Amino acid sequence: MEKLLERFALKILPIANAIGQQRHLQAVRNGLISILPLTIIGSFFVILLNVPIAGYAEMIAPFSAALDIPFRYTVGIMALYSAFTIGSFLGKSYKLDGVTSGFLSMLATILMVVPINLKEGIDTAGNAVNAGRYIPIAPLSSQGLFGAIVASLLAVEIYRFTKERKLEIKMPDGVPPVVSSSFAALLPTLFIVLVFWIPRHFFDFDLNGVLTVLISPLKTFLTGNNLLGGLLTQFMICLFWAMGIHGHAVLGPIIRPFWDQAIIENADLFQGGMSAFQLPNIFTEQFYQWYAQMGGTGATLALCFLFLFSKSSYLKQLGKLSILPGIFNINEPLIFGAPIVMNPLLAVPFILVPIVNTILIYIVTILGWMPRMMVKPPFTLPAPFGALVTSNWNIVAFIMVFVCFIASLAIYYPFFKLFEKNQLKQEADTVAQANMMEV
């Protein structure tokens, strides 16, 4: 089994490294991670608007519109922020100016949005709206995330093309660098305007719409209600980790845009009045964090707990060192300390436990006993509280964390006992050898 795992790792490692180091995928991953402060803070305002206390809604009713603004201008235009960060990271990977790459990417994203041309109207508060052009927010939210990703990558490639072909306005020596770089960006800006403006506004080509149609089957498979997609995601992430490959680093650039789009879509619909039980996406990243992977990938918090009561001095000490990080969903000390990497005895439950937990929570969710996730708090939030907050304070969700923990303990236990037996034998052999050397 161990040799089989090693052979498989040797074959898959070059592919995994190629995916993880591909500059466009790296830019997408790093760009989306960079806007985490915005999405987390925006999610807190969703929580603030939906505290389940009798009379709370009536109390904050006069301020609800104002309290909704931080959500709308953080999470609500995440595609625009993502465009800048993705473009900036990709530009820097080509040794281009990061700020210029970022704002050109934002420009391309905005040009894809057809403005609303109002002659007259009223806003949601009933006030008269002046005539003019208005940019709708919806295409700049999670709905337009994939469009923003594609626009950012294309914009930076156009920028790179013009730089390599020397298609830029050069200023004389002695001109301040800021001024020089601004003039150097004039022609790339013109090209990007033409490339994105003409198809959208003269030929009515909707890049967002096309991408939505193309990726909707994959989105539904990975983050909707498809159990097979949820299980496949868990299996691949855990398998990569068991082989010593950072599963989230490899799969993150591919699946994170779907995760982010799914949770923001849920949050937006929930904020619009939809019940958390009716939200469209079950398999968000938060679903995995608080249930399938409590304590980190592989749901290793249960294994930490077992190590605490081990007869092996090494495992007991490792349990003490790992339990606190594990409570906050950080488990690298355990993965590499046990180790779980390239260890078939622990790799089996490491992969199996998240799959079982996923099935358990999926069944409870489909039966309508607990809601979908609808906000994005920090991943370091301990599982019971993370589940409570992300499920609109649902007590069943809180309880299911402990159900999953007990299931995890039950699955890990027999493998733990075998592993402990081997570890005790090794420790006994080490002591015997030390005694022989003293004699």
Side-chain angles (χ1 to χ4, degrees):
M1 177 67 177
E2 186 173 358
K3 291 182 179 179
L4 180 64
L5 195 62
E6 288 179 357
R7 285 199 298 269
F8 185 65
L10 288 174
K11 290 182 179 180
I12 202 71
L13 188 59
I15 300 173
N17 285 336
I19 294 172
Q21 295 173 8
Q22 207 283 327
R23 73 170 74 236
H24 296 87
L25 293 178
Q26 277 189 334
V28 172
R29 180 190 65 202
N30 294 336
L32 293 178
I33 290 174
S34 295
I35 67 166
L36 272 176
L38 295 170
T39 55
I40 290 174
I41 294 300
S43 294
F44 279 138
F45 279 89
V46 177
I47 298 168
L48 185 63
L49 282 162
N50 295 276
V51 177
I53 299 175
Y56 181 81
E58 291 78 8
M59 183 183 71
I60 67 164
F63 315 103
S64 59
L67 290 172
D68 184 54
I69 289 174
F71 170 77
R72 296 299 169 189
Y73 291 94
T74 52
V75 174
I77 53 173
M78 67 172 296
L80 190 60
Y81 297 124
S82 300
F84 181 86
T85 54
I86 292 169
S88 180
F89 277 109
L90 182 59
K92 288 177 181 177
S93 75
Y94 284 126
K95 301 188 184 306
L96 300 172
D97 184 75
V99 174
T100 301
S101 299
F103 83 69
L104 290 177
S105 298
M106 289 178 67
L107 172 65
T109 300
I110 293 174
L111 285 170
M112 291 191 304
V113 179
V114 175
I116 298 172
N117 190 11
L118 290 181
K119 294 184 178 179
E120 60 181 15
I122 58 172
D123 62 15
T124 55
N127 301 314
V129 175
N130 294 327
R133 292 182 179 271
Y134 297 84
I135 297 176
I137 285 184
L140 300 178
S141 66
S142 62
Q143 296 179 24
L145 180 58
F146 283 92
I149 291 172
V150 173
S152 302
L153 301 181
L154 287 175
V156 175
E157 290 299 335
I158 293 170
Y159 181 29
R160 180 174 71 93
F161 177 84
T162 60
K163 292 287 287 186
E164 290 180 347
R165 299 300 188 278
K166 308 294 184 183
L167 300 175
E168 58 184 3
I169 298 174
K170 290 188 176 181
M171 301 299 290
D173 293 339
V175 173
V178 174
V179 177
S180 181
S181 62
S182 296
F183 274 87
L186 285 175
L187 287 179
T189 302
L190 175 61
F191 294 146
I192 288 169
V193 167
L194 295 176
V195 167
F196 287 91
W197 168 60
I198 291 175
R200 186 68 186 102
H201 293 264
F202 288 93
F203 298 98
D204 197 27
F205 176 72
D206 184 1
L207 180 59
N208 273 330
V210 171
L211 288 173
T212 298
V213 172
L214 291 177
I215 68 172
S216 59
L218 185 58
K219 176 183 176 296
T220 302
F221 179 70
L222 291 175
T223 61
N225 301 330
N226 192 307
L227 179 59
L228 181 59
L231 295 178
L232 181 62
T233 300
Q234 283 300 287
F235 175 77
M236 293 304 298
I237 289 174
C238 293
L239 180 63
F240 276 122
W241 269 110
M243 294 187 298
I245 302 168
H246 196 302
H248 290 87
V250 174
L251 295 178
I254 300 170
I255 197 170
R256 183 162 294 284
F258 292 102
W259 277 344
D260 285 347
Q261 189 179 42
I263 191 63
I264 300 307
E265 182 181 2
N266 279 3
D268 198 38
L269 291 171
F270 177 76
Q271 190 69 352
M274 182 179 288
S275 167
F277 288 87
Q278 298 174 341
L279 298 174
N281 304 304
I282 292 179
F283 295 112
T284 62
E285 185 178 16
Q286 291 65 40
F287 176 98
Y288 301 124
Q289 286 172 345
W290 313 136
Y291 303 109
Q293 296 181 351
M294 70 180 77
T297 305
T300 52
L301 188 60
L303 188 59
C304 280
F305 185 80
L306 291 172
F307 279 4
L308 285 175
F309 300 95
S310 176
K311 297 175 183 177
S312 162
S313 57
Y314 173 73
L315 295 184
K316 190 167 187 174
Q317 185 63 28
L318 181 59
K320 291 178 181 178
L321 292 172
S322 303
I323 191 66
L324 187 59
I327 290 172
F328 294 98
N329 304 306
I330 298 169
N331 67 344
E332 279 80 0
L334 190 71
I335 287 178
F336 296 104
I340 293 173
V341 171
M342 290 298 176
N343 183 344
L345 195 56
L346 293 180
V348 172
F350 181 80
I351 296 171
L352 181 61
V353 167
I355 289 176
V356 171
N357 288 343
T358 298
I359 294 172
L360 278 174
I361 300 301
Y362 175 79
I363 292 172
V364 174
T365 304
I366 287 295
L367 289 175
W369 296 347
M370 60 177 279
R372 276 75 162 167
M373 309 289 100
M374 27 63 71
V375 290
K376 186 177 184 178
F379 81 93
T380 51
L381 200 62
F385 303 107
L388 194 62
V389 168
T390 55
S391 64
N392 194 29
W393 311 98
N394 183 267
I395 191 64
V396 175
F398 181 82
I399 293 171
M400 286 306 300
V401 171
F402 296 96
V403 173
C404 287
F405 182 74
I406 293 170
S408 302
L409 282 174
I411 296 171
Y412 266 117
Y413 184 76
F415 295 93
F416 157 72
K417 292 304 290 182
L418 288 173
F419 184 64
E420 181 189 51
K421 182 179 179 181
N422 293 339
Q423 185 65 32
L424 287 170
K425 185 177 183 303
Q426 291 178 17
E427 291 176 5
D429 290 344
T430 301
V431 171
Q433 290 176 4
N435 291 336
M436 289 179 61
M437 291 179 65
E438 289 180 2
V439 173

